[in-house]
Amino acid sequence: AFDGVYDDDEGMQIGRFWMNRRIDAHQEAISVDGNSYEWKTRQALYLSSPDKTETIFRAAHDGKNLYLAVETAIFEGVEPHALSIGLSNASGSAKYFVKIDSKGKVTASDSSLKSAVKSARTRDGRSGRVTEICIPLQNIKSRPGDMICVYAKATTADSSTAFSLANQDVVSSWQRISLINAQ
């Protein structure tokens, strides 16, 4: 965390900022249907593009699978907007890659992935998309109690943006998802 000051239309704002670095994935019952309302967690990793497209990533697990809720708000005229997501165990010995194209179609390193997508409008009127993804933990050689590394990059016709300070080739620079054991 760090303290910061910035100026906006309402005057000077002072606050404490928490940068993307790690979120917890608690054990939850998730239905992969493109509807993220059943998700209990509000912890999220955030990715913003220069075109003002915003994506949040939430995570959960059921002991055998990792679930990701990828929620994207897109400004009109920004399409195509695609996401590339990399997942790895902490040692970097098992990597798994997922792509979400501009229509919401999900492709992965293998066929064991399950996904669902729904499109709608955000509260502020932008086009939005919720993509739920289920990945077997064995694909990234992980289990509850482990740390998973995650990399994300948004690509449009004009730009591409990844998580802050993350290098696609250096797993140790990726964000973290902690698979919390059930209580």
Side-chain angles (χ1 to χ4, degrees):
F2 66 94
D3 294 323
V5 177
Y6 61 96
D7 191 24
D8 68 13
D9 293 339
E10 296 176 10
M12 186 174 288
Q13 303 292 321
I14 300 172
R16 176 157 283 192
F17 299 90
W18 299 90
M19 299 302 293
N20 281 350
R21 201 63 201 142
R22 195 200 98 197
I23 60 173
D24 294 334
H26 292 276
Q27 200 157 353
E28 294 185 39
I30 301 295
S31 175
V32 180
D33 57 7
N35 180 347
S36 63
Y37 287 110
E38 80 270 15
W39 288 67
K40 295 175 189 163
T41 185
R42 292 290 164 236
Q43 291 186 25
L45 296 171
Y46 177 76
L47 178 63
S48 178
S49 305
D51 59 23
K52 298 182 182 172
T53 296
E54 299 168 335
T55 302
I56 64 167
F57 300 83
R58 292 188 282 156
H61 74 92
D62 64 6
K64 294 183 180 184
N65 300 291
L66 173 69
Y67 296 92
L68 295 176
V70 182
E71 299 165 309
T72 303
I74 303 168
F75 272 90
E76 301 300 326
V78 172
E79 297 285 352
H81 178 273
L83 288 168
S84 299
I85 304 166
L87 298 160
S88 174
N89 58 359
S91 70
S93 65
K95 294 180 184 170
Y96 191 85
F97 295 95
V98 177
K99 292 191 180 200
I100 304 172
D101 72 12
S102 60
K103 304 292 185 203
K105 182 181 177 192
V106 179
T107 55
S109 299
D110 68 11
S111 62
S112 64
L113 171 135
K114 294 178 193 169
S115 66
V117 64
K118 285 195 178 172
S119 296
R121 293 265 174 210
T122 63
R123 289 182 186 164
D124 62 357
R126 292 186 282 169
S127 295
R129 183 170 54 234
V130 174
T131 306
E132 288 183 312
I133 302 170
C134 172
I135 303 159
L137 286 172
Q138 68 184 11
N139 289 6
I140 45 180
K141 296 181 181 169
S142 297
R143 61 178 188 245
D146 288 351
M147 189 75 69
I148 293 176
C149 301
V150 61
Y151 174 85
K153 180 172 73 173
T155 304
T156 66
D158 299 325
S159 66
S160 68
T161 304
F163 282 141
S164 301
L165 305 176
N167 179 330
Q168 183 174 356
D169 300 322
V170 182
V171 171
S172 63
S173 71
W174 295 9
Q175 310 307 323
R176 304 281 191 276
I177 298 172
S178 180
L179 299 175
I180 303 299
N181 281 315
Q183 302 289 342

